Amino acid sequence: MKPMTDQEAARWEKKRQQGQLRFTVIFGILLWGLPVGLIWPVAMSAILGWKFTFPFRALSMAVFMFGGIFFGRRLWNSFERRYAARAKAIADRQSE
């Protein structure tokens, strides 16, 4: 795993201060789940000829927004691992 650069770490520290819940809501639900939930039923209707009904749209929105929780948490954990790898690399350099 590639450690974060100094610039990435500075950005992550700002986002990290907001907390995991806020990060998950913004980046998982609002910035991933909502757009995908809006685009997916339109794409499936166009590509596969599915009927573009309200229940279909509502279900896809709910499913992808729920999936956004998992996406956001996974993204958070990925950033945390890279941040920890950076901290370990810095500590290793200082101990040499």
Side-chain angles (χ1 to χ4, degrees):
M1 173 182 331
K2 178 179 107 176
M4 288 184 168
T5 64
D6 291 340
Q7 184 180 11
E8 290 171 330
R11 279 191 311 231
W12 176 241
E13 285 169 358
K14 290 178 185 175
K15 288 178 185 162
R16 191 176 192 229
Q17 288 175 353
Q18 296 174 359
Q20 185 177 10
L21 177 62
R22 182 178 170 95
F23 180 86
T24 300
V25 169
I26 292 171
F27 292 95
I29 297 172
L30 296 178
L31 294 178
W32 184 82
L34 186 61
V36 174
L38 289 170
I39 293 168
W40 188 78
V42 173
M44 291 299 103
S45 296
I47 295 169
L48 300 176
W50 293 359
K51 293 201 186 257
F52 193 66
T53 62
F54 176 76
F56 178 57
R57 286 182 289 188
L59 179 63
S60 72
M61 290 286 296
V63 167
F64 283 105
M65 289 178 76
F66 185 73
I69 295 169
F70 297 102
F71 178 79
R73 290 183 58 100
R74 175 76 173 125
L75 193 59
W76 173 275
N77 291 333
S78 174
F79 282 126
E80 281 292 295
R81 281 193 302 276
R82 288 187 64 213
Y83 188 74
R86 177 183 179 273
K88 184 180 181 315
I90 291 171
D92 289 347
R93 274 185 290 191
Q94 290 176 347
S95 67
E96 292 178 354

